[in-house]
């Protein structure tokens, strides 16, 4: 029996979710406080339209999964309402913009006995999968350091008449643009022990309420084979890449090898030099998310939904759980807290 889904929030990313829902289940309702957005999506898929999440759950029963596609600052509240209504929840990134809110979401999911999924689609990029396997199998030996580069373009038009760019609903560049990248640091290397960081707003003054550029120096909890210092890392990020997205890359230096995942969206294996091992040619990944005048991360929502259905119907292992979502938010908080002293 196919699962029934409702989409909360009908912006650009909701359209991506609607496509996948039709492939893996059945979309039965959509809601948005901006009526025109709800009508556009609802009429396309011939489903019921509601002006608010409260009216949705007051009038529509039998929803198996609520998909949260509202602004970052509303993820927690809308997830909690959906869980209390008896739904599993699939929450877009970031899980929330406060770790305290993430903890409430996790508690409500446990109380309701429902799954709380968080979208982490970059984990499914073929080169990311291959490098994670290397790390799990210790093929790189002791990891010394890791470098994350996030060089994208987000111009004034992107933030025009939008919740994006506001502290209350967006939260910061690391939350909206690069939380997927931060997730991969945690997934591959582990949690942070210490952070030094700097941030500035060079080109988006009077456009956004936070930074457009940042640098962070990281020390991870994981220790080397001698039990001494943890893995070191750096993050360099900006939304000032001229006119278009330039690069999303992750380079790992280890005792027995060096690898670099590059491209614009961590979608290309750019370099490998590994002792007694070669990563074979990889399948071509999905295309980036297209949003008209700008692009986002890789479109692996098909794999997100495939995992969700397998977890709910077949008790499979969850690809990205709520604790992973919490850790990403905690790491971003640590980076931003460190910038307050810079």
């Amino acid at each position: 029996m196919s699962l029934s889904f409702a989409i909360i929030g009908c912006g650009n990313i909701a359209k991506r979710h609607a496509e996948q829902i039709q492939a893996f289940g059945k979309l039965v309702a959509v809601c948005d406080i901006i009526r025109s957005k709800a009508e556009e999506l609802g009429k396309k898929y011939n489903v019921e339209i509601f002006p608010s999440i409260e009216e949705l759950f007051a009038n529509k029963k039998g929803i198996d999964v609520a998909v949260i596609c509202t602004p970052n600052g509303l993820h927690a509240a809308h997830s909690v309402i959906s869980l209390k209504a008896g739904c599993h929840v699939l929450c877009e990134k970031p899980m929330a913009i406060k770790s305290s809110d993430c903890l409430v979401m996790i508690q409500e999911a446990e109380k309701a006995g429902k799954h709380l999924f968080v979208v982490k689609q970059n984990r499914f990029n073929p080169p990311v999968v291959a490098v994670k396997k290397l790390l799990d199998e210790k093929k790189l030996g002791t990891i010394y350091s890791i470098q994350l580069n996030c060089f994208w373009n987000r111009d004034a038009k992107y933030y025009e008449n939008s919740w994006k760019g506001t502290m209350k609903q967006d939260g910061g560049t690391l939350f909206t643009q690069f939380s997927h990248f931060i997730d991969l640091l945690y997934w591959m290397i582990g949690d942070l022990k210490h952070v030094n960081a700097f941030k500035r707003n060079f080109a988006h003054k009077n456009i956004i309420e936070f930074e457009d550029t940042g640098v962070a120096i990281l020390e991870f909890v994981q220790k080397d084979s001698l039990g001494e210092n943890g893995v070191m890392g750096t993050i360099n990020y900006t939304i000032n890449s001229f006119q278009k997205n330039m690069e999303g890359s992750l380079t790992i230096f280890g005792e027995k090898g060096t690898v670099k995942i590059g491209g614009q969206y961590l979608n290309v294996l750019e370099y490998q030099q590994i002792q007694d091992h070669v990563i074979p040619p990889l399948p071509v990944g999905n295309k980036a998310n297209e949003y008209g005048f700008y692009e986002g991360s890789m479109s692996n929502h098909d794999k997100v939904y495939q995992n969700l259905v397998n977890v709910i119907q077949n008790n499979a292992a969850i690809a990205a759980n709520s604790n992973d979502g919490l850790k990403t938010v905690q790491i971003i908080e640590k980076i931003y807290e460190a910038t307050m002293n810079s």
Side-chain angles (χ1 to χ4, degrees):
M1 185 175 178
S2 63
L3 298 172
S4 62
F5 293 79
I7 294 177
I8 320 299
C10 298
N12 282 325
I13 196 64
K15 298 171 185 176
R16 184 72 58 189
H17 282 271
E19 292 172 5
Q20 297 305 327
I21 288 169
Q22 292 300 89
F24 289 95
K26 183 180 181 182
L27 182 63
V28 297
V30 299
C31 78
D32 199 299
I33 59 172
I34 301 175
R35 182 80 185 181
S36 60
K37 289 186 176 183
E39 287 180 346
E40 180 185 356
L41 193 63
K43 288 179 179 178
K44 180 176 180 179
Y45 291 95
N46 192 30
V47 301
E48 291 186 66
I49 299 163
F50 295 92
S52 71
I53 188 171
E54 290 81 9
E55 291 193 42
L56 166 68
F57 288 123
N59 294 281
K60 187 70 176 175
K61 307 303 178 185
I63 298 168
D64 296 310
V65 184
V67 182
I68 310 302
C69 297
T70 46
N72 302 347
L74 297 174
H75 285 180
H78 289 163
S79 293
V80 168
I81 291 171
S82 301
L83 289 163
K84 287 183 175 180
C87 300
H88 300 287
V89 166
L90 173 61
C91 184
E92 256 298 340
K93 60 82 186 172
M95 183 173 168
I97 54 177
K98 294 180 181 178
S99 58
S100 56
D101 286 340
C102 293
L103 289 169
V104 171
M105 295 163 72
I106 292 169
Q107 289 167 0
E108 290 296 334
E110 291 174 349
K111 193 184 301 181
K114 297 295 179 179
H115 291 290
L116 173 55
F117 301 88
V118 184
V119 175
K120 303 285 187 185
Q121 79 262 25
N122 279 5
R123 291 188 179 193
F124 296 104
N125 292 358
V128 171
V129 172
V131 171
K132 178 66 163 93
K133 187 171 185 287
L134 282 182
L135 292 166
D136 289 345
E137 295 175 351
K138 310 297 183 184
K139 291 280 178 65
L140 299 180
T142 298
I143 304 303
Y144 299 139
S145 65
I146 184 166
Q147 296 180 351
L148 175 64
N149 291 331
C150 313
F151 305 147
W152 281 11
N153 171 273
R154 291 293 183 265
D155 61 13
K157 185 179 179 182
Y158 171 83
Y159 295 101
E160 205 170 61
N161 300 318
S162 173
W163 56 269
K164 293 169 182 170
T166 67
M167 283 299 298
K168 185 176 180 180
Q169 299 296 355
D170 184 319
T173 297
L174 287 178
F175 281 116
T176 299
Q177 269 65 57
F178 302 129
S179 62
H180 286 312
F181 296 73
I182 302 296
D183 169 66
L184 294 184
L185 287 180
Y186 170 71
W187 192 46
M188 290 183 168
I189 304 299
D191 207 351
L192 292 187
K193 178 182 178 182
H194 187 258
V195 184
N196 283 326
F198 303 87
K199 64 179 181 179
R200 299 287 185 272
N201 185 346
F202 291 107
H204 293 73
K205 291 181 174 65
N206 303 316
I207 298 173
I208 62 178
E209 297 175 356
F210 41 73
E211 86 286 2
D212 63 15
T213 301
V215 178
I217 303 169
L218 318 171
E219 183 183 6
F220 292 85
V221 172
Q222 178 181 331
K223 298 190 181 298
D224 64 27
S225 59
L226 300 176
E228 296 177 348
N229 295 327
V231 177
M232 293 179 63
T234 59
I235 303 173
N236 289 278
Y237 69 96
T238 186
I239 51 171
N240 292 333
S241 177
F242 187 63
Q243 292 187 341
K244 66 178 184 178
N245 295 344
M246 173 187 167
E247 176 181 333
S249 70
L250 192 63
T251 305
I252 301 174
F253 297 93
E255 173 191 13
K256 298 179 181 178
T258 301
V259 291
K260 180 181 180 181
I261 306 169
Q264 290 179 316
Y265 312 103
L266 289 167
N267 57 319
V268 178
L269 183 65
E270 287 192 354
Y271 182 89
Q272 61 168 313
Q273 186 66 32
I274 307 162
Q275 180 178 305
D276 302 325
H277 185 82
V278 175
I279 299 172
L282 299 170
V284 176
N286 290 331
K287 294 181 180 179
N289 286 319
E290 291 276 359
Y291 301 119
F293 62 93
Y294 74 97
E295 286 187 348
S297 293
M298 301 305 295
S299 178
N300 291 321
H301 284 72
D302 56 333
K303 296 176 178 63
V304 171
Y305 275 90
Q306 187 174 51
N307 177 250
L308 178 147
V309 171
N310 282 336
V311 170
I312 294 174
Q313 294 187 336
N314 304 316
N315 201 30
I318 193 166
N321 61 39
S322 53
N323 285 318
D324 294 335
L326 166 64
K327 279 297 179 183
T328 299
V329 173
Q330 288 177 331
I331 289 171
I332 293 173
E333 284 180 333
K334 286 180 182 178
I335 294 170
Y336 281 150
E337 284 168 9
T339 65
M340 294 174 68
N341 301 318
S342 65

